[in-house]
Amino acid sequence: MCAAATTLTLGLGAWTTVAAQKVNDLPGGPAVNQLNFAPPVTRIAEEQHWLHWFMMALCAVIFLIVFGVMFYSILKHRKSVGHKSQALAEPIWVELGWTIVPLLIVIGMALPATKVLVAQKDTTNSDLTIKATGMQWKWGYDYIKGEGEGIGFLSTLDNNHRVMSNSGKPEATDNYLLKVDNPLVVPVGKKVRIITTANDVIHAWMVPAFGVKQDAIPGFVRDTWFRAEKTGDFYGQCAELCGKEHAYMPIHVKVVTAEEYSAWVGEKQKAMAAAADDPAKVWVLADLVKRGESVYAANCAACHQASGKGAGPIKPLDGSALVVDADKGKIINVLLNGQNNGAMPAWKQLSDTELAAVMTYAKNTWSNQTQQIVQPAEVQAARK
């Protein structure tokens, strides 16, 4: 009895541990075994849901009528029960019927669909305008109009999630590959216009709970909008196959109250002012290496690893001829313009100081003790 009880207890404990590791529904994001659309938090998303079920019901009714009549006719008038074929006249009302009825059905489907489509594209009278720039493989956000104008930052997959993915055995995490370092923050109840474009290839900005999906195309500007009616965290992903890191390009929108948004704007503006650098400033090696360490951790470590050893097809930086080469122009060119058809993306979105810092860090970390320094002015000159 004692042995059986012990076995049962251990079994239940193991089951509890496994159950505790299961992934749960993510509020504002995907749900376990999800079959329907994401719960809507905008009026447009609600109308899309209604339109979806309206079309499904209409198609189901048409399916039942058409196939019901067809199978009834086949069974009722089959040859095996003695039915003989006969020529039937085709009166004009039959011809008109099967032309007019489908036409009316199509019109009935087109009218509500057109209404929703037109509403989706009406970006006028927005309270806030934000440019979302897709790049391999992150999003850049610039607040162009409204409260927070002038704020800009990059939003990248949280490095811990990339490490979990690289391990091949990720932990059971509700927001797996959806957590970012800098979410997009917007106020609740305000009309937010999103302008989309891209630096390299076609991306797509999609947040299912908002009913929004808009392509971001290099050299073109597209726009969409949403007005979130609830506060909370809402998630999406790039919805275009944009390259080998496509799975690591999430979108996280944090909807907050007006008061919380104003406080966030104030804090962000102070942080940007403190981080603003003069590209003409001449740095000493130790300070630039320290600055470069944080830039590397935020933007480079996910691929090249914290050890600089790379992974798989990702080239190592530790001992790299390109990094230790005395000709600094080569590594500056790679970071500004990318390499190998986008396998190494361009990093023009980083400031001159950030690029100089991360290059100096790579040149003076691990076994790369070159004592070389890249000044921001050199990066600035290479941009021209």
Side-chain angles (χ1 to χ4, degrees):
M1 178 64 74
C2 292
T6 302
T7 303
L8 178 61
T9 302
L10 291 174
L12 289 173
W15 181 87
T16 302
T17 302
V18 172
Q21 294 177 345
K22 288 183 178 179
V23 177
N24 302 305
D25 294 350
L26 178 64
V32 178
N33 298 323
Q34 181 175 343
L35 295 177
N36 199 3
F37 292 152
V41 294
T42 67
R43 181 67 182 274
I44 287 292
E46 290 177 357
E47 292 183 355
Q48 289 174 352
H49 279 222
W50 178 88
L51 190 62
H52 165 71
W53 287 111
F54 169 73
M55 295 295 181
M56 285 283 289
L58 187 59
C59 291
V61 170
I62 294 173
F63 174 87
L64 291 174
I65 292 175
V66 171
F67 281 88
V69 171
M70 184 180 73
F71 285 119
Y72 171 79
S73 300
I74 292 172
L75 293 172
K76 186 70 175 178
H77 304 95
R78 64 189 187 277
K79 185 178 180 181
S80 61
V81 296
H83 193 85
K84 296 181 179 179
S85 61
Q86 57 181 315
L88 296 175
E90 295 187 10
I92 188 64
W93 64 267
V94 173
E95 298 285 351
L96 291 175
W98 66 40
T99 301
I100 294 175
V101 171
L103 177 62
L104 293 176
I105 292 173
V106 170
I107 293 174
M109 298 170 71
L111 288 177
T114 302
K115 176 186 174 184
V116 175
L117 186 63
V118 171
Q120 286 180 208
K121 298 304 297 179
D122 181 14
T123 59
T124 59
N125 301 318
S126 59
D127 300 299
L128 202 64
T129 299
I130 301 172
K131 183 175 76 170
T133 304
M135 55 196 80
Q136 294 173 315
W137 285 271
K138 53 174 56 55
W139 290 97
Y141 295 115
D142 295 289
Y143 289 63
I144 297 176
K145 180 183 176 183
E147 186 179 6
E149 182 175 336
I151 291 176
F153 56 88
L154 295 177
S155 181
T156 308
L157 174 70
D158 183 87
N159 192 51
N160 291 330
H161 284 235
R162 183 57 188 266
V163 171
M164 284 194 290
S165 177
N166 289 343
S167 72
K169 297 179 179 179
E171 301 174 6
T173 307
D174 295 349
N175 62 346
Y176 179 58
L177 297 185
L178 291 175
K179 184 179 180 181
V180 302
D181 52 2
N182 293 305
L184 178 67
V185 181
V186 298
V188 69
K190 298 294 184 180
K191 185 173 183 177
V192 181
R193 181 189 180 205
I194 299 291
I195 298 175
T196 62
T197 188
N199 281 353
D200 33 52
V201 300
I202 298 177
H203 301 277
W205 199 85
M206 180 185 73
V207 181
F210 296 163
V212 169
K213 178 183 178 293
Q214 182 63 61
D215 280 357
I217 306 172
F220 292 85
V221 172
R222 298 288 186 268
D223 65 350
T224 185
W225 69 278
F226 65 87
R227 181 186 283 110
E229 298 177 352
K230 299 178 182 178
T231 59
D233 295 283
F234 303 97
Y235 301 88
Q237 290 174 303
C238 173
E240 288 288 353
L241 190 58
C242 58
K244 69 182 184 65
E245 303 288 314
H246 169 66
Y248 306 110
M249 196 170 170
I251 299 166
H252 177 186
V253 182
K254 181 180 287 292
V255 181
V256 298
T257 63
E259 295 76 15
E260 290 173 329
Y261 179 73
S262 296
W264 176 84
V265 168
E267 292 174 3
K268 202 70 177 177
Q269 289 174 336
K270 290 178 182 178
M272 289 180 62
D277 294 306
D278 180 5
K281 176 183 175 180
V282 178
W283 292 68
V284 298
L285 179 63
D287 291 344
L288 206 55
V289 168
K290 183 177 180 181
R291 176 72 178 274
E293 184 177 8
S294 60
V295 178
Y296 183 87
N299 301 283
C300 311
C303 292
H304 293 287
Q305 307 299 306
S307 62
K309 298 297 185 182
I314 305 298
K315 294 182 179 179
L317 300 181
D318 185 12
S320 167
L322 176 67
V323 176
V324 301
D325 196 319
D327 184 359
K328 293 180 283 188
K330 293 180 180 179
I331 189 172
I332 292 175
N333 178 65
V334 170
L335 263 71
L336 287 177
N337 302 302
Q339 193 178 45
N340 297 333
N341 296 320
M344 166 64 182
W347 289 92
K348 290 181 179 178
Q349 64 271 20
L350 296 181
S351 70
D352 297 330
T353 301
E354 289 172 323
L355 287 173
V358 77
M359 284 185 272
T360 302
Y361 172 78
K363 283 177 171 290
N364 295 277
T365 308
W366 314 300
S367 66
N368 303 339
Q369 302 299 321
T370 66
Q371 299 301 306
Q372 297 173 12
I373 184 170
V374 180
Q375 293 291 350
E378 296 177 89
V379 180
Q380 185 183 43
R383 288 186 190 266
K384 299 178 181 178

